[in-house]
Amino acid sequence: MTTARLRLRGWREPDRDELAVLNADPVVMEYFPEPLDRAQSDAVFDKWQRNWSEHGYGFWRAETRADGQLVGIIGLGYATFEASFTPVVEVGWRLAVDYWGHGLATEGASASLRFGFDTTDAESIVAITSAMNVRSQRVMQRLGMDHEPALDFEHPNVPAGHRLQPHVVYRISRTAFHQNCLPT
Ligand SMILES: CC(C)(COP(=O)(O)OP(=O)(O)OC[C@H]1O[C@@H](n2cnc3c(N)ncnc32)[C@H](O)[C@@H]1OP(=O)(O)O)[C@@H](O)C(=O)NCCC(=O)NCCS
């Protein structure tokens, strides 16, 4: 899939190396309990591949259309952790620092939402992040997603009492997306 500036494509085996570098970057991973080591990064890679085969969607490798450089991870996940609103389709993003501040996460996520509403029967798609991750919440707001405070929760996969445990939930309905969708 392409947008004005990005190509979103599936992951290939050789991409594991660059994904591991991104997942090990402490700046990129500031709002995760820890950067991922190689084994954890490979496990995430495997999970995304399973998502594609089991659900028909997943996270893409986002690259520049101009020269194919890795921009980051953008796409859709199937969240199954224990919470009042799961299981649910979620939209997510993780960009290499060099590509922050250019609107690329919003551009790729908008295309991901369109793909999600076109290819699944989900009536809404959520986005989830640590309450501290204001930059990510700004992406959600730019996408036209609404914060749903009633759904905010303590993430069960983050250690109890950790500063990153409180999470916020944003949501966009199929109708709202089609009324407000951004150009991609
Ligand atoms: C969260 C993250 C994806 C946000 O990236 P981002 O580049 O700030 O987000 P966007 O792509 O929406 O870009 C918006 C910024 O680009 C600027 N911008 C520049 N050119 C633009 C354009 N053509 N269109 C839109 N915005 C543009 C905007 O002004 C805005 O800057 P500001 O935040 O300083 O006001 C990025 O910080 C990241 O990957 N963080 C680490 C991983 C992470 O936290 N992931 C989320 C976990 S849930």
Side-chain angles (χ1 to χ4, degrees):
M1 202 161 67
T2 55
T3 68
R5 293 173 291 174
L6 296 173
R7 182 175 300 104
L8 303 176
R9 72 149 171 87
W11 296 88
R12 302 172 188 143
E13 279 301 311
D15 302 328
R16 284 180 186 268
D17 292 347
E18 61 180 14
L19 179 65
V21 172
L22 181 71
N23 284 335
D25 184 326
V27 177
V28 173
M29 301 302 282
E30 179 181 357
Y31 296 107
F32 294 77
E34 299 216 87
L36 304 188
D37 64 23
R38 179 62 195 239
Q40 291 167 323
S41 181
D42 280 345
V44 165
F45 183 100
D46 293 338
K47 183 173 142 195
W48 293 343
Q49 301 299 63
R50 280 198 304 278
N51 263 6
W52 278 107
S53 53
E54 288 171 13
H55 302 293
Y57 57 80
F59 286 97
W60 284 281
R61 177 184 191 270
E63 60 184 34
T64 54
R65 281 180 69 166
D67 57 11
Q69 290 297 306
L70 176 71
V71 169
I73 300 155
I74 303 177
L76 300 169
Y78 184 62
T80 55
F81 55 78
E82 191 68 37
S84 64
F85 56 87
T86 56
V88 70
V89 184
E90 66 169 327
V91 61
W93 38 75
R94 186 178 307 159
L95 267 52
V97 177
D98 287 352
Y99 293 98
W100 295 10
H102 301 283
L104 292 169
T106 301
E107 184 174 309
S110 178
S112 303
L113 288 173
R114 174 170 296 125
F115 181 90
F117 286 124
D118 283 352
T119 65
T120 77
D121 57 8
E123 279 311 315
S124 66
I125 295 177
V126 305
I128 300 156
T129 193
S130 158
M132 299 179 72
N133 193 345
V134 172
R135 188 175 269 271
S136 189
Q137 290 176 60
R138 284 211 298 265
V139 178
M140 298 169 193
Q141 291 155 10
R142 279 191 282 269
L143 289 166
M145 304 184 86
D146 292 320
H147 182 203
E148 300 226 359
L151 300 182
D152 290 354
F153 68 110
E154 302 290 316
H155 202 304
N157 297 345
V158 177
H162 193 288
R163 68 189 173 91
L164 296 176
Q165 201 184 21
H167 272 60
V168 293
V169 181
Y170 280 65
R171 192 189 334 230
I172 189 164
S173 69
R174 177 178 288 276
T175 309
F177 176 73
H178 286 302
Q179 278 166 358
N180 306 320
C181 58
L182 304 172
T184 54

